[in-house]
Amino acid sequence: QYIEAKGGEVRLRTEVSGITDEGGHYRIQTAKQGDLTARYVISAIPVNNTLQIFSGKTRPVFAQKQMNSQQLN
């Protein structure tokens, strides 16, 4: 409700095939709803799965900061 109250949109059960950082916004490719554009992306899937669908300059930044399970223990 908070996101929607601020003018955002929440999409549940939306299969995303790719997210591209286009400098200032993201292009989200979905399986059934076509391409979407967003200023922010919130992912509810594990970070390693999210990184697999990212392309552009954002992926290397986050991939570099990602820790494997051994580093967490």
Side-chain angles (χ1 to χ4, degrees):
Q1 293 172 346
Y2 176 83
I3 292 171
E4 292 166 335
K6 298 291 183 181
E9 186 175 346
V10 177
R11 298 206 180 207
L12 303 173
R13 295 185 172 93
T14 302
E15 183 180 345
V16 175
S17 57
I19 302 171
T20 305
D21 182 343
E22 296 193 335
H25 68 278
Y26 297 94
R27 182 169 50 92
I28 300 107
Q29 298 89 38
T30 67
K32 295 182 181 177
Q33 299 170 350
D35 287 1
L36 308 170
T37 302
R39 287 179 46 201
Y40 304 99
V41 175
I42 299 171
S43 175
I45 62 175
V47 69
N48 59 319
N49 297 98
T50 302
L51 286 172
Q52 290 175 355
I53 59 175
F54 256 96
S55 62
K57 64 183 179 183
T58 301
R59 183 178 183 176
V61 172
F62 288 115
Q64 186 177 38
K65 295 178 181 181
Q66 181 182 9
M67 295 188 295
N68 62 39
S69 60
Q70 294 167 330
Q71 292 173 300
L72 298 173
N73 293 325

